[in-house]
Amino acid sequence: MNKNLQVYWMMLLLGLPFAGVGLITLFLSILPNLFVWQQMKSWPQVSAELQHAELVIDNSGDSSTYSPKARYLYQYQGKHYTGERVSIMEGSDNIGDFQYNLAYVLKEAWRQQQSVPAWVNPSNPTEAVLNRDMHWGMVGFQMIFVVMFGSIGIGLSYSALSNLLRSTPMHKPWRGQRRASPEVSCNSKSGLWLTWGFTLIWNLLSLLGVTAVPRELAAGNFFFLLILVFPLIGIYLLYQAINTTLDWRRFGPLTLRLHPYPCLIGGQFGGTLELPLAYNNQQRFHVRLQCVHSYATGSNKNRHLTETILWQAQGLADSQASALGGTALSLHFDIPDNLPASEPMSTDYRFWRLELAARLPGVNLRREFEIPMFATAEQARSDY
């Protein structure tokens, strides 16, 4: 495999888990806690009697983390309840002094046998909390994962996929040298595998978040429905993958036969193509020939391909019924003599691309071919 393609596959495999970490942190922690924080603002306040309070220190990791623990009694609408929830964001951390200060206040109140305020969930009185302030230091810390991991992961995945799709048709064994065969195949099968691979990975990651939706909705966390954006994107990706598959099944591996071969700088480019499609004299097939400068920018995880169109021409292919019962296309373009020839694939090179497109009932046709173009003065044959 070409070294550039290996880099892009590694970028994609690295980017998807990074994106998953950011998205899971956002939708399974930050947004649910913000929703609960807003809900607790309307909870009625009662007086609670502490039965126990302490600061739990966990030294099992690389650094110590702290968590306030308490057990308390409270009364709501004439009934007695026992609670243990202390704050909105339960768990242990060492971000700032939020946990330490909260534990100190509760321990002092317990030592002095003072009552403390508690807030009760009116729809479920068994649920109460002693502190309804948001631990903003922890939110900020988690947002680092969302912003850094999420943006890096999504950026890596997008860049890798787009570069893979663009690199696949350029990766040809004839680059920079002539070959005996004048036939050029399109990249549809490679694009099909790439599309399905990315679609399946995206939907698997989205499924991790979707499995938590029933639990969050049962808790009244309707903001969590925002996570459904990701499976919706997955459905769109699946739609595109199915269309790509239908395109492949309908047209198969199309082959363009060049006349003459090699194609000519300063002369003409010509070719013929057979489509497994019943001939229709009203059908139009759009073709566009481009001379492209491809070059890599950035480095490591920020590496991506950039394309600049140096020259292009477009028009309609001539079509007629073929002897095999399909549609035969023929096309040609005049090529200026001041353009670069095809170059070996590298981080900075020029190549020629032919695009074929048509709107058809059912599945539209869209294929790309990379054209071997060399600097000669030979003219294209006109007997096709």
Side-chain angles (χ1 to χ4, degrees), residues 9-26:
W9 275 112
M10 291 178 62
M11 286 170 57
L12 182 61
L13 294 176
L14 179 65
L16 288 172
F18 268 68
V21 169
L23 297 176
I24 289 173
T25 301
L26 177 63

Side-chain angles (χ1 to χ4, degrees), residues 50-57 66-72 83-87 89-92 99 102-104 106-107 110 130:
L50 288 167
Q51 302 295 299
H52 177 75
E54 65 174 321
L55 176 65
V56 177
I57 303 176
Y66 308 94
S67 175
K69 300 294 183 181
R71 185 173 62 256
Y72 50 93
E84 293 185 353
R85 185 171 186 176
V86 174
S87 59
M89 303 181 72
E90 299 179 281
S92 180
Q99 305 281 45
L102 179 55
Y104 176 80
L106 294 177
K107 286 171 63 177
W110 178 47
L130 296 181

